Amino acid sequence: MLHSVQKCACRNPPPALPMDQYHFLVGELKNNSPFNPAAASAQLFAWFAQIGEPVERYGNKRGKIVKFSQRNYEKMLFAPDTDGIGLLSPRIVPPDEAYEAVNCDAQAMYLSGSELVLSICARKLALAPLFDGARAIPGLFEHCEYVYCYAETQGYGTGYALGYRQLDEAHPMTFGIPCPANNWSAIKRRGLQDAHLRDVYPINGFTQTKLDALPPERQQALRGAMQAHGRCEEHAGWIFWYLQPGEQEAARAALNAHAMLGAYINN
């Protein structure tokens, strides 16, 4: 499925969908997290049931997005070399009129050793209910150590979740300006993600392990920012930090002063 999504970054892509806003939840997985395809699949299907969307397509092992068939899907799911799951709701427009990987109202991905990504059209679900609903699914965050939610156009937001620049009308190529998605990918390639956050989002979640991995001065800066801006709550071993737009910018400036936001560190 990852390869299917990354095909969207081709140089001469098919037409994009209109620039509708989508809401995204990204969960970054702990190092060496076990991948249990059956459990992950059940959780992603539970999310689709929760939001009231059917699963119409999935990403197969050959990097194609194909019509959902229980038999073929299970064959792929239980193959020994399967390392990810990608599920999509029905098409919005006919085939070949838009990127197949983002031609849907809802999408869910679980990429072994990497990320959990949920996205849904903003007209169908607000950001807070997306987060609250996902958090309520048993085990969905079990292997995550860092969760964040944001609103974006679907193509750019999906690429951002996976760590590459996906251009669209709202995000044209701007030469000489580094891409926040690529910057975070470089941080991860260098193995420096434990010492950084990616950015500051409307909803941010950290396990205690994620916080403890930050260098002491960055831990202190983060705790100061969380006390000064937005609101925090603790739940089931997580610390969740909620910010309004003005608070988000102020918190971002405070943490950038400590060089801890990987999206703004150019590599």
Side-chain angles (χ1 to χ4, degrees):
M1 179 59 193
L2 177 57
H3 299 300
S4 299
V5 174
Q6 286 181 328
K7 285 183 180 179
C8 296
C10 57
R11 294 192 180 193
N12 297 299
L17 289 168
M19 296 296 99
D20 286 346
Q21 285 287 291
Y22 277 69
H23 289 147
F24 290 83
L25 181 151
V26 178
E28 304 221 355
L29 304 183
K30 303 170 188 173
N31 288 334
N32 303 313
S33 294
F35 177 50
N36 183 328
S41 177
Q43 290 158 1
L44 298 187
F45 271 93
W47 180 69
F48 270 90
Q50 183 188 83
I51 62 174
E53 290 285 329
V55 173
E56 185 183 77
R57 292 164 296 149
Y58 72 99
N60 71 12
K61 290 171 62 177
R62 295 187 300 278
K64 302 285 187 183
I65 294 175
V66 297
K67 184 173 176 59
F68 185 82
S69 150
Q70 189 72 36
R71 178 176 174 275
N72 291 338
Y73 175 75
E74 288 183 356
K75 217 159 129 183
M76 179 211 74
L77 189 66
F78 296 109
D81 55 344
T82 293
D83 61 358
I85 302 167
L87 305 176
L88 299 90
S89 66
R91 290 186 182 97
I92 301 170
V93 297
D96 303 322
E97 290 189 17
Y99 304 140
E100 187 69 353
V102 293
N103 186 5
C104 57
D105 280 332
Q107 183 172 179
M109 289 179 274
Y110 194 105
L111 308 175
S112 173
S114 181
E115 287 142 332
L116 161 72
V117 182
L118 307 177
S119 65
I120 185 164
C121 185
R123 289 181 285 99
K124 295 205 165 190
L125 193 66
L127 198 62
L130 165 62
F131 169 71
D132 290 337
R135 185 171 62 165
I137 294 173
L140 187 60
F141 288 1
E142 179 183 1
H143 299 302
C144 298
E145 63 176 6
Y146 181 26
V147 171
Y148 43 91
C149 301
Y150 55 90
E152 257 300 349
T153 58
Q154 193 185 24
Y156 183 86
T158 301
Y160 182 91
L162 301 176
Y164 67 88
R165 188 200 307 256
Q166 170 61 49
L167 305 181
D168 60 26
E169 292 174 21
H171 305 84
M173 175 65 80
T174 306
F175 294 99
I177 297 179
C179 174
N182 293 341
N183 285 347
W184 184 241
S185 288
I187 290 283
K188 293 178 82 170
R189 282 196 303 271
R190 294 164 61 196
L192 301 175
Q193 63 269 31
D194 286 349
H196 298 82
L197 301 181
R198 185 172 191 175
D199 198 354
V200 177
Y201 302 93
I203 301 173
N204 312 264
F206 320 100
T207 63
Q208 192 61 51
T209 301
K210 174 65 178 174
L211 294 180
D212 289 345
L214 293 170
E217 69 279 4
R218 291 181 180 171
Q219 286 188 43
Q220 186 177 354
L222 177 58
R223 293 189 187 280
M226 290 195 299
Q227 289 171 0
H229 309 288
R231 66 179 179 88
C232 293
E233 68 175 39
E234 295 189 29
H235 178 78
W238 284 81
I239 297 172
F240 297 110
W241 186 23
Y242 305 88
L243 292 156
Q244 298 298 320
E247 298 169 329
Q248 192 177 334
E249 291 303 319
R252 178 177 290 135
L255 297 182
N256 263 332
H258 293 269
M260 67 184 298
L261 300 182
Y264 303 97
I265 297 173
N266 302 328
N267 294 276

